[in-house]
Amino acid sequence: QRKEENAEYKELMASDTAAKEVLGFAKNRLNKFYNPKMYKAPPKQELSAEERIFVNNGGTPPPTAPPGGIAGTGITALVQVSAKTLRDAPAPPPETWDAYATKSEESTGVIAMIDLLIKDLEKELTEAETEEKEAQADYETMMKESADKRTADSALLTEKSSTKADVGSELEEHKEHAASAGKELMATMKYIASLHAECDWLLQYHDVRKEARTGEIDSLVKAKAVLSGADYSLVQTKVHSFLGRSP
């Protein structure tokens, strides 16, 4: 869109500039006949070094080439002139000076009209140039903001990619830790199950073990009492009877 606007602006500038040059040429041509003091003669032809030497030696200067362009004005740009402009265009000047010995109101009005057209063109050119500058400034601002946004988005994307990589690495570490913790949990559960089985066995045979322990304690007490001489007489009797046997 901006490219199309710029193309339209360049086309308008070219056409209005060419129209202004044509009107200026027409005004200058009218001044040549109606207001000679305001007439601006075309620049003299510049002679080359060889031509200057030739003229200084009495030669005839080369003829001036006729101006080309639109109607011999020297303006080569193609200008589209409206029908109204063609109707309002002044008539070509006569070949003799006598017909316009004095300035008429008609010639003054035509020149004033040309000045008005030139002012309108200048106003349109100024407005178009201002609008083009504003549009270009807005376009450059938009492009700068877009570039800044792209830079910020790129930096944000890089940051998010780095964060994603870090989170992925942490996730893998957590997965490994979870797998290790799972294995440790299974080992702990097996150990708890073995303890539970052992406890169940101890609870199941507690009374039997208690009775057996009580019997063992009682036997140990009696054995200690025997060793301490509680049934010593009985032991002596048995010894005598054993000694008193005939051989």
Side-chain angles (χ1 to χ4, degrees), residues 56-117:
N56 291 334
N57 291 330
T60 303
T64 302
I70 301 173
T73 61
I75 302 172
T76 58
L78 180 61
V79 183
Q80 297 179 352
V81 185
S82 63
K84 182 178 181 303
T85 305
L86 291 175
R87 288 195 302 269
D88 295 340
E95 297 180 359
T96 60
W97 178 260
D98 296 337
Y100 293 94
T102 59
K103 299 176 182 178
S104 64
E105 294 181 358
E106 182 179 359
S107 64
T108 305
V110 171
I111 293 176
M113 183 189 66
I114 291 176
D115 289 337
L116 182 61
L117 291 174

Side-chain angles (χ1 to χ4, degrees), residues 165-232:
D166 294 340
V167 171
S169 177
E170 292 179 0
L171 178 61
E172 292 298 326
E173 291 179 0
H174 286 310
K175 285 182 178 180
E176 293 177 359
H177 180 69
S180 177
K183 293 179 180 179
E184 185 177 354
L185 177 62
M186 290 180 64
T188 304
M189 293 299 292
K190 288 181 180 180
Y191 178 68
I192 292 174
S194 65
L195 291 177
H196 190 20
E198 185 177 352
C199 290
D200 290 343
W201 185 86
L202 291 174
L203 290 174
Q204 182 179 357
Y205 295 99
H206 176 266
D207 294 337
V208 176
R209 286 169 59 85
K210 181 178 180 181
E211 185 178 355
R213 180 60 59 89
T214 302
E216 291 177 358
I217 293 173
D218 185 57
S219 299
L220 289 173
V221 171
K222 290 179 179 180
K224 183 178 180 181
V226 171
L227 293 175
S228 299
D231 293 333
Y232 184 75

Side-chain angles (χ1 to χ4, degrees), residues 20-67:
K20 182 180 175 182
E21 291 177 355
V22 171
L23 291 174
F25 179 83
K27 178 183 176 181
N28 190 52
R29 182 61 63 88
L30 289 174
N31 284 331
K32 180 178 181 180
F33 295 97
Y34 302 132
N35 192 4
K37 292 181 180 180
M38 300 296 294
Y39 174 71
K40 298 179 181 179
K44 295 181 179 181
Q45 182 183 5
E46 293 292 336
L47 299 179
S48 64
E50 296 178 354
E51 290 173 344
R52 285 196 298 271
I53 295 173
F54 178 75
V55 172
N56 291 334
N57 291 330
T60 303
T64 302

Side-chain angles (χ1 to χ4, degrees), residues 150-166:
R150 285 195 299 270
T151 302
D153 291 344
S154 178
L156 182 60
L157 179 61
T158 302
E159 181 180 357
K160 287 185 177 296
S161 298
S162 178
T163 303
K164 180 181 178 182
D166 294 340

